Amino acid sequence: MSIRPVKSISPAIPTMEGAGVKLHRAFGFEDPSMLDPFLLFDDFRNERPEDFLKGFPWHPHRGIETITYVLNGTVEHGDSLGNEGTLAAGDVQWMTAGSGILHQEMPKGNAKGQMHGFQLWANLPASLKMTAPRYQDVEGKEIPEIIDDDGTRVKVIVGEFWGKRGPVDGIATDPQYLDVFVPAGVRKSFKIDTYRHAFAYIFDGSGRFADASAPRGVLLEKEVRGEEVNIRDLSGDRTLVQFSTGDEVTVQAGPQGIRFLLISGAPLEEPVAWHGPIVMNTREELMQAFAELRNGTFIKPAH
């Protein structure tokens, strides 16, 4: 076994999307080859309804897949094909936009007013850019969870891990998407295919991945005595860890344990033409998509 060295560690950056949703972006709208086939990762955890209730009104997608994982609260969604539903805590939606879809996502808080979740964008290969749109809505109870003897817990959302297979299937890039908790003080290794790009996103607790320094903490906006201040959170929360090549990653959990998403996928290594919610292979395809949005032919009839 060869441990994957850490290539970089960076904090997710506060930003705003939709109609005014405050979120933290771990990566996106930069070099699309960095974590190919993944394009963008957003963490939309909020404690105040005013920071998320305006949601993500109607907007288009083409050429990608969006993966939404809800931890707390709910997300109501609807689209131009007549699909609608609600994602609850623990649920996952894998949406293949394919040839094009218009949809909206409206977050709702839980009883405490909290809305916690993540969204990942995955690119589609050129051969599937114009495939028919589809949804895979998965309830949390369908996601297998493995508990190891040392207390490590792994939810297998996509792909195969420790003999269990996640309920989302038929994904072009054959990714692996795991929700991992490692208890305090435990050192644990996780096998990843050598040829995949891989990253971890820490969202609770702290820890140190092999060949990396301890988390320096990330700058977060918090309310102290009624005032908004920026403080450095030493928990490692909202931290992106990118790995180089190898066939496993190793983490040493901190005093509160560590929880993170571990995501990997085979790179497409194709040209990318990207503007906003539409990702194609050439500038001409991109221009055609926006022309179709303007003239009303963006949504393709079902075959």
Side-chain angles (χ1 to χ4, degrees):
M1 292 290 181
S2 60
I3 295 175
R4 284 180 176 244
V6 171
K7 185 161 57 175
S8 69
I9 299 177
S10 57
I13 305 301
T15 188
M16 191 174 291
E17 282 291 353
V21 178
K22 290 184 177 180
L23 51 81
H24 285 72
R25 178 159 293 155
F27 63 89
F29 299 105
E30 297 158 0
D31 178 4
S33 68
M34 181 176 74
L35 283 166
D36 179 18
F38 306 114
L39 298 164
L40 175 147
F41 183 88
D42 282 344
D43 175 343
F44 54 89
R45 286 178 294 158
N46 286 303
E47 306 297 316
R48 304 185 305 177
E50 58 266 34
D51 290 340
F52 61 80
L53 278 181
K54 292 181 180 178
F56 306 92
W58 293 98
H59 58 281
H61 283 296
R62 175 179 285 181
I64 64 170
E65 300 182 285
T66 66
I67 304 93
T68 305
Y69 180 25
V70 179
L71 296 180
N72 281 303
T74 61
V75 177
E76 295 177 359
H77 66 89
D79 70 26
S80 52
L81 303 178
N83 299 303
E84 60 181 28
T86 300
L87 299 175
D91 293 353
V92 173
Q93 180 188 84
W94 195 294
M95 184 194 78
T96 304
S99 61
I101 202 164
L102 296 169
H103 77 153
Q104 64 174 352
E105 300 154 299
M106 306 304 290
K108 307 290 181 184
N110 61 14
K112 297 180 180 179
Q114 301 167 316
M115 178 67 238
H116 296 175
F118 309 105
Q119 188 169 91
L120 173 69
W121 290 12
N123 201 2
L124 279 170
S127 60
L128 294 175
K129 286 288 189 190
M130 298 300 287
T131 193
R134 73 163 181 155
Y135 285 89
Q136 294 185 70
D137 286 343
V138 177
E139 294 185 5
K141 63 184 180 182
E142 300 176 48
I143 298 172
E145 182 176 40
I146 309 161
I147 302 177
D148 208 2
D149 293 341
D150 58 12
T152 297
R153 300 195 306 266
V154 180
K155 292 183 179 181
V156 186
I157 296 169
V158 184
E160 189 169 349
F161 189 76
W162 286 352
K164 298 287 186 179
R165 175 163 285 279
V168 179
D169 62 10
I171 304 304
T173 54
D174 189 28
Q176 187 180 62
Y177 190 130
L178 309 175
D179 177 350
V180 179
F181 170 75
V182 180
V186 171
R187 182 179 174 88
K188 200 73 175 177
S189 294
F190 302 90
K191 184 172 174 55
I192 296 179
D193 189 294
T194 306
Y195 301 102
R196 294 170 179 261
H197 282 161
F199 70 91
Y201 184 75
I202 305 167
F203 62 96
D204 194 19
S206 65
R208 182 169 65 187
F209 287 87
D211 295 335
S213 59
R216 179 168 169 255
V218 295
L219 202 61
L220 298 179
E221 186 181 84
K222 294 201 173 184
E223 188 171 308
V224 178
R225 298 189 183 92
E227 294 186 8
E228 296 290 340
V229 297
N230 289 322
I231 65 173
R232 193 160 289 282
D233 181 357
L234 295 177
S235 68
D237 191 16
R238 292 192 173 98
T239 302
L240 174 71
V241 182
Q242 296 183 57
F243 300 102
S244 190
T245 56
D247 53 20
E248 68 176 23
V249 300
T250 299
V251 64
Q252 174 72 50
Q256 290 82 41
I258 184 172
R259 189 176 177 190
F260 58 94
L261 302 179
L262 183 58
I263 299 174
S264 63
L268 297 176
E269 298 180 339
E270 294 181 349
V272 173
W274 180 6
H275 184 76
I278 297 174
V279 184
M280 304 302 290
N281 294 104
T282 68
R283 186 171 182 273
E284 290 73 23
E285 291 170 340
L286 197 61
M287 292 174 66
Q288 179 181 344
F290 282 98
E292 291 176 0
L293 271 173
R294 292 191 296 270
N295 66 27
T297 60
F298 185 78
I299 303 300
K300 306 303 179 187
H303 297 295

